Amino acid sequence: MSSAPSTGSSPGRVAGIDYGTVRIGIAISDPDRTLASPYETYTRRGELQDARRFQRLVAEEKVTLFVVGLPVHLDGRESRKSAEARAFGQWLAKVTGVPVEFFDERFTSVEAERLLLDAEMTTKRRKKRRDMLAAQIMLNAYLESATRGQREPGPLGD
């Protein structure tokens, strides 16, 4: 797990990643790292094409940090999906040369789905937006946590 978020330590945009084996939600911060916006839901196309997409994202948006959402259990323990997200983060750092941190993503997909349902979107439109909205929710929480000094995910209620 990463230590305290380092949003103030180096300039540039942060890209939030909601990892999935089929789709990856991407959100991006402003250069001052104060606000996150949904960016895209990327459908995976194979290791080489995926690497090119993330290299292009770094170049086009001047990304200096990736934050990969880490799915953990309610008690803070990591899951099989956590290991997959960590492996993806290591791969992402290797192919882009950009540092990667991990951040608790509990409930982001549930919150994203609730917001999309509240907006009365069709199932097809919700599916298209859910992953990038989950990435935005997680990235906003990461950016906000920098001021609170949050570290690793722990049990709820602590």
Side-chain angles (χ1 to χ4, degrees), residues 1-6 67-68 70-78 86 101-106 141-142 145-146 148-158:
M1 210 75 56
S2 70
S3 56
S6 59
V67 177
V68 175
L70 196 62
V72 293
H73 295 290
L74 293 179
D75 64 4
R77 288 180 302 118
E78 292 194 20
R86 284 189 180 280
E101 291 189 22
F102 298 92
F103 192 76
D104 184 353
E105 71 164 25
R106 275 178 280 192
Y142 172 87
S145 74
R148 294 192 309 258
Q150 179 176 331
R151 293 180 301 280
E152 300 182 12
L156 289 179
D158 282 2

Side-chain angles (χ1 to χ4, degrees), residues 42-54 91:
Y42 172 73
T43 301
R44 300 188 72 181
R45 293 173 175 86
E47 194 170 322
L48 184 59
Q49 287 180 296
D50 293 356
R52 287 183 183 144
R53 176 64 194 111
F54 286 102
W91 172 85

Side-chain angles (χ1 to χ4, degrees), residues 14 22 106 109 116 124 127 131:
V14 179
V22 176
R106 275 178 280 192
S109 295
L116 293 170
K124 184 178 180 180
K127 184 178 179 180
D131 297 312

Side-chain angles (χ1 to χ4, degrees), residues 1-6 14-17 19 33 54 58 63-70 84-103 138 142:
M1 210 75 56
S2 70
S3 56
S6 59
V14 179
I17 303 295
Y19 168 79
R33 298 181 176 191
F54 286 102
V58 168
V63 172
T64 58
L65 177 66
F66 282 105
V67 177
V68 175
L70 196 62
E84 291 177 20
R86 284 189 180 280
F88 175 79
Q90 291 171 344
W91 172 85
L92 187 60
K94 187 175 110 184
V95 300
T96 63
V98 173
V100 171
E101 291 189 22
F102 298 92
F103 192 76
M138 183 272 304
Y142 172 87

